[in-house]
Amino acid sequence: MRSVTYSMGVSLDGYIVGPDGDFDWTAPDEEVFRFVTDEIREVGVHLLGRRLYETMLYWETADQDASLDDSMLEWAAIWKPLPKVVFSTTLSAVQGNARLASGVLAEEIERLRAAPGEGDIAIGGATLAAEAAALGLIDEYRVRVYPVLVGGGIPFFPQRERRVDLELVETRTFRSGVVYLHYRVARQPPRRPAMGRAGQPSRAPRTRSRKTQIPGPPPPSAA
């Protein structure tokens, strides 16, 4: 089954965009850019929110920019034909090899998982990723941590009161100080009841009742 991945650059304090809307600190050097290019090769379809889609529109015509070097032209050659699904309530049309989402996020992901094809299902944009995370649809988090503190802005991780256990897949440190962290969501298999001798679910042994202290609500915090 195709994995749903969420990969972006993030500050050390956890933001993908600073409080002023700036993200120039995520500009990759040659080593990181080569790594990101190799990562996008593994993507089979990219899901984007409106803001990220509009930001990435430059790459639809980047091959006409004479100032780009070979590495950027290589990125453009990979990104331009990549199938994209855009989630927006305001756009009526999209450009290039993109289409507007025809259903809600969960339906689109279910359809893409079931469809024949290779490559990951990548999610771009914090709002869209937060919705996918809330639904338990993200399989892998791939974070490039930049050595900078921005003090606020748009967080990489959704602010949800929900615990998610992760398994470390890969880590890498670049010469620039950027650290790559690749985690996989730890999926717990459903528990099956223990079987008795006759092949029936066994019952828990009965115990004698005894007085116990029932935990009450926690005491109010001191203010």
Side-chain angles (χ1 to χ4, degrees), residues 130-212:
E131 181 181 350
L135 296 171
L137 298 174
I138 295 181
D139 300 306
E140 296 182 9
Y141 290 89
R142 303 179 181 186
V143 191
R144 298 182 303 279
V145 183
Y146 285 77
V148 60
L149 302 173
V150 299
I154 299 176
F156 174 85
F157 293 103
Q159 304 301 304
R160 304 276 184 176
E161 295 182 358
R162 177 172 173 265
R163 169 175 166 168
V164 179
D165 293 323
L166 306 173
E167 300 171 349
L168 181 62
V169 177
E170 180 186 1
T171 181
R172 175 173 174 178
T173 302
F174 297 92
R175 291 190 295 271
S176 60
V178 174
V179 177
Y180 172 72
L181 301 172
H182 179 184
Y183 285 94
R184 180 186 300 116
V185 174
R187 307 289 187 189
Q188 297 295 332
R191 293 183 177 181
R192 296 182 178 180
M195 305 302 289
R197 293 182 179 179
Q200 299 296 325
S202 59
R203 297 180 179 178
R206 295 181 178 180
T207 57
R208 295 180 180 177
S209 61
R210 59 182 178 181
K211 295 181 179 181
T212 58

Side-chain angles (χ1 to χ4, degrees), residues 90-149:
T90 58
L91 295 176
S92 58
V94 289
Q95 303 176 28
N97 192 20
R99 65 174 175 84
L100 288 169
S102 58
V104 297
L105 181 59
E107 293 174 351
E108 287 286 354
I109 289 179
E110 182 180 1
R111 187 179 302 117
L112 291 169
R113 285 190 194 272
E118 298 181 354
D120 296 329
I121 302 170
I123 289 185
T127 302
L128 195 63
E131 181 181 350
L135 296 171
L137 298 174
I138 295 181
D139 300 306
E140 296 182 9
Y141 290 89
R142 303 179 181 186
V143 191
R144 298 182 303 279
V145 183
Y146 285 77
V148 60
L149 302 173

Side-chain angles (χ1 to χ4, degrees), residues 6 11 48 60-61 72 91 148 151 163 201 209 212-213 216:
Y6 178 33
S11 65
L48 306 92
E60 296 296 329
T61 57
M72 291 188 176
L91 295 176
V148 60
R163 169 175 166 168
S209 61
T212 58
Q213 183 179 2

Side-chain angles (χ1 to χ4, degrees), residues 47-80:
L47 313 185
L48 306 92
R50 178 188 59 82
R51 291 182 181 179
L52 183 59
Y53 164 74
E54 292 177 342
T55 300
M56 298 299 290
L57 273 178
Y58 164 78
W59 293 101
E60 296 296 329
T61 57
D63 53 358
Q64 302 172 21
D65 189 342
S67 66
L68 294 187
D69 59 22
D70 291 343
S71 62
M72 291 188 176
L73 289 173
E74 181 183 10
W75 164 270
I78 298 172
W79 177 262
K80 188 174 181 178

